[in-house]
Structures are given as C-alpha cells and as structure tokens.
Amino acid sequence: MSRKSVDVVIIGAGVSGCSIAYHLSKAGVQVCVLERAEIAAEASSAAAGLLAPGSVLTGPRAGAELFFASWSITAETLAEIEALSGLQVEYQRTGALHLIADENERLQLREYAQYWQSHGQEDVQWLVHEELRQHEPLLNARITEALYVPHAASIRPRLVTEAYAQAARKLGAQIYEHTEVTGFQRQANKVIGVQTAQGESITCSRVVIAAGAWSEQVGKWLDLSIPVAPARGQILSLKQPATPLKHTVFGNDLYLVPKQDATIYIGATVEHVGFDKSNTAGGIAWLLSKAIQLMPELEHAVLANIWTGLRPWSRDAYPILGNVPGWENVILATGHGAGGFELSAITGRTITELLVSGQTPALIQPFSIERFV
C-alpha cells in the first residue's frame, strides 16, 4: 500500500466499521478501512446473528430508542447491501418466543410488549398452553406461557459484514485487510495521519475507532481511556432434531436460533476473562444443560460446532458513539457488546450523519464517552 490521503480512516473491519464505511461511501465521502486481520475476523463472525432486541427494551429509554431505530431500518439496509454486493445474508424472520419463568420476568416482558405495541407492532402477543405448544412443539411441557414477537429475525453474521464491505467497495471505499495500525501522527489536538505495521502512513482528515474489543488499546495512542473490554461468549450449534425448532427462543438465560443450514445456534456465555478465546467444558456444559431444560428432545441432537467470540463490552454494556472530547477529529463507534448486528444499521447511519454534518444526532448523544467521566 502506497502513501495515501483520504477523508476518513476507519480502524476495524467488523460489522460496525464496515457499516460506517458503506454509509459514508453512499454519502460520497472518501473512506479507507484498516483491518489487522480479515473482514469479520473476530466478534463479527462469531455472533449468533440475532435481530431480536430483547431485555434492552426494558432498560434506559435511550437504549430502547437506539435499538428500535436500528431495527426499523435494518431490513431495508440489508436489502440494499445484498443488491449492491451480490451476497445473500440469510435474512429470515423466525419470530421470537420470550419464555416466562416467574412474575418478575412477566412484568418485564409486559413492559417490553407495551413498548413494541406503542411503536406500531400490534402483532406482539401472549401465547399460553396449547397455543404456545402449536407454535413451538419442542418446548418442555412445563413451560406454559411466552411473549411472541413475530417480526424477530436472524442473519448470517459473517455474510452481513462482508456484504457491507463489498457494497462499500462498490461505492469507492478502500478496505485493506492484514494492515495493522501501529500509531497516529498527531498535531496539537488533531490526528493528521495513521501509521501501519507495513511502515506506511495514511494522511486523513478524520478517524473513526471501530476496533471492537481492541478499542482500548487504540485509545492509548491518543492518551485516551476507552472503557471497553473483551467479554468472552461461548456458543455452539446443534443439528436440527426430527421435529425442528421453528422460532428464536429466549429463556433460561440463553437463546436458541434456527438457521437456514438446518442447525440451531445456542448461546451465549458472558465471561470477563480478558482476551482468552478458549472454549471450556464448563461453558459448553452450561449451554447444553440450559437448552435441554427448555427442550428435552435436544438431548439427542447431534453437536455440529463450538466456538468463541470476544464481544466489545463497555462499562455499562451500551455502545460508545460520537466525538472524543479534546480531539477535533476522532470519533468512536465501539462497545456494542452483544448488540453489534442489531445496532449496525443505525451505527452506520448516525456516525455518517455526524461526520457529514458536524452535528451529533440526538439519538446517539446519550452514548458519548463523556458519560463515563
């Protein structure tokens, strides 16, 4: 790679970085993405690919609004990048069943249902007894009540990330894999260039840090503390049993997601163990035992695969989006935790709006790094 000059350098080619690259390129901005490994090398290939925001909608109002805003534009955005990239991302509306274990969970899900219904999703409904069994025959007979969210969907994570990247390239973005960033060229309170391990330097007007669980390390080059750490998520897949799982199911502290390749993804643990990507006997046993409690027939299912991802977990489990105080031209898009794919569409759109207009969209103002100061 020869010496270059671009408007925006994005560090990280996970789903957030590639979504931002796509939306910026669509807006006519000259973009360069630098990735130390491959596109979707880390969490963006390890995720389950859920598009079914759950308990976050019962948290802070700003978080609910951010997730809902992203959900409302996701299907349209996926159709755009599929058409432009030529890749199919395996989008499917599975619907989701949120199982009710106790009264506290019932109250939370009632708030969840009211939120969806207030935003025009009147088809959210309660299912009980035989009606629930008709929707999902695999469920344990002791489970008698669930909230049904028919618009919940899933995708293939790596394919979505690659589709964002290929669509961005079609619009003029430069994406360099196996190009590790090693530092910045600084001038007063601005970054004027990005240095790589190949000894090259890219001059730029602005920088977006979208380095996932590695964002804190990038921040150190700017004397910046970014409160994001890796959270190990162990996950596994089973081959579908004779009676297949039809819906995404949330319950017993995990989720089960049917996929187009006739497997079920089951996840995920949340373990703060640093950058250790090992699968452990305890983690896999926990996932299997919890899943079998919900669906006893899965005891006989064939194990297809096990893997681990390192999700970028912020201190309060919400993303960090927007300008960096003290730096004129540095923007953060990191810390999405387990919601990277659910938030990818709105992350790309709002960070692009910030970079093009110079104004932080109201939707992401609550997610500035300043909230941790």
Side-chain angles (χ1 to χ4, degrees):
M1 179 173 61
S2 60
R3 185 178 178 89
K4 297 181 183 298
S5 178
V6 297
D7 188 10
V8 178
V9 168
I10 299 171
I11 301 173
V15 69
S16 295
C18 290
S19 174
I20 296 166
Y22 166 67
H23 284 88
L24 281 171
S25 300
K26 189 178 173 183
V29 178
Q30 190 181 26
V31 181
C32 176
V33 181
L34 303 178
E35 167 56 49
R36 67 183 179 88
E38 298 89 27
I39 293 168
E42 295 291 346
S44 293
S45 62
L50 288 167
L51 299 178
S55 59
V56 68
L57 296 185
T58 61
R61 185 73 177 188
E65 294 297 336
L66 186 69
F67 272 85
F68 186 85
S70 196
W71 175 83
S72 66
I73 64 171
T74 291
E76 174 189 351
T77 303
L78 292 178
E80 285 181 9
I81 62 175
E82 281 187 328
L84 195 54
S85 69
L87 296 173
Q88 299 300 306
V89 302
E90 298 187 14
Y91 175 83
Q92 59 177 341
R93 286 186 57 165
T94 61
L97 293 170
H98 295 260
L99 308 182
I100 297 172
D102 52 39
E103 186 59 31
N104 182 57
E105 197 159 25
R106 182 178 287 103
L107 292 173
Q108 288 185 333
L109 287 173
R110 187 171 291 124
E111 184 180 348
Y112 179 24
Q114 290 171 350
Y115 184 91
W116 279 116
Q117 290 163 353
S118 71
H119 284 69
Q121 303 301 315
E122 299 294 339
D123 51 359
V124 173
Q125 58 184 294
W126 298 96
L127 300 178
V128 297
H129 301 298
E130 187 57 32
E131 192 176 20
L132 175 58
R133 201 73 48 225
Q134 290 174 0
H135 273 74
E136 197 52 72
L138 278 182
L139 285 173
N140 191 314
R142 293 196 298 269
I143 299 170
T144 60
E145 190 174 1
L147 178 67
Y148 176 47
V149 183
H151 50 259
S154 83
I155 46 82
R156 183 73 65 175
R158 178 181 288 278
L159 291 177
V160 168
T161 310
E162 290 178 348
Y164 271 124
Q166 294 306 322
R169 279 176 166 151
K170 288 284 182 68
L171 295 173
Q174 305 166 61
I175 301 178
Y176 295 99
E177 300 174 88
H178 305 288
T179 304
E180 184 175 2
V181 174
T182 56
F184 296 114
Q185 292 176 301
R186 301 158 52 165
Q187 188 176 85
N189 61 342
K190 292 182 67 175
V191 171
I192 60 171
V194 178
Q195 299 168 328
T196 74
Q198 286 80 359
E200 301 287 345
S201 178
I202 302 174
T203 303
C204 59
S205 299
R206 290 164 292 183
V207 172
V208 177
I209 299 173
W214 287 262
S215 294
E216 183 183 32
Q217 297 177 13
V218 176
K220 290 177 180 178
W221 300 326
L222 299 173
D223 306 315
L224 173 66
S225 177
I226 302 176
V228 171
R232 182 170 69 189
Q234 299 189 58
I235 192 168
L236 61 88
S237 61
L238 301 176
K239 293 184 179 180
Q240 283 274 21
T243 301
L245 177 71
K246 298 184 290 184
H247 302 83
T248 295
V249 173
F250 294 91
N252 223 8
D253 299 321
L254 48 67
Y255 53 75
L256 300 92
V257 191
K259 292 293 183 178
Q260 288 187 9
D261 64 354
T263 62
I264 302 170
Y265 283 18
I266 301 174
T269 63
V270 179
E271 305 167 79
H272 299 284
V273 293
F275 288 92
D276 183 355
K277 293 176 66 176
S278 304
N279 280 110
T280 66
I284 298 305
W286 182 85
L287 291 171
L288 286 170
S289 63
K290 290 279 190 175
I292 291 168
Q293 288 170 19
L294 294 179
M295 300 177 184
E297 192 174 335
L298 293 183
E299 182 179 358
H300 308 290
V302 175
L303 184 64
N305 198 7
I306 61 173
W307 66 95
T308 295
L310 298 178
R311 293 163 293 189
W313 217 268
S314 76
R315 196 179 300 160
D316 63 4
Y318 284 90
I320 303 173
L321 304 168
N323 292 308
V324 174
W327 290 93
E328 284 187 22
N329 62 341
V330 180
I331 293 92
L332 296 177
T334 187
H336 291 77
F341 282 89
E342 291 170 329
L343 292 173
S344 63
I346 203 65
T347 296
R349 181 175 290 191
T350 53
I351 295 299
T352 293
E353 183 180 341
L354 166 59
L355 286 164
V356 171
S357 71
Q359 302 298 315
T360 302
L363 191 65
I364 64 170
Q365 286 177 6
F367 302 99
S368 166
I369 193 173
E370 292 181 274
R371 72 185 188 273
F372 297 107
V373 176

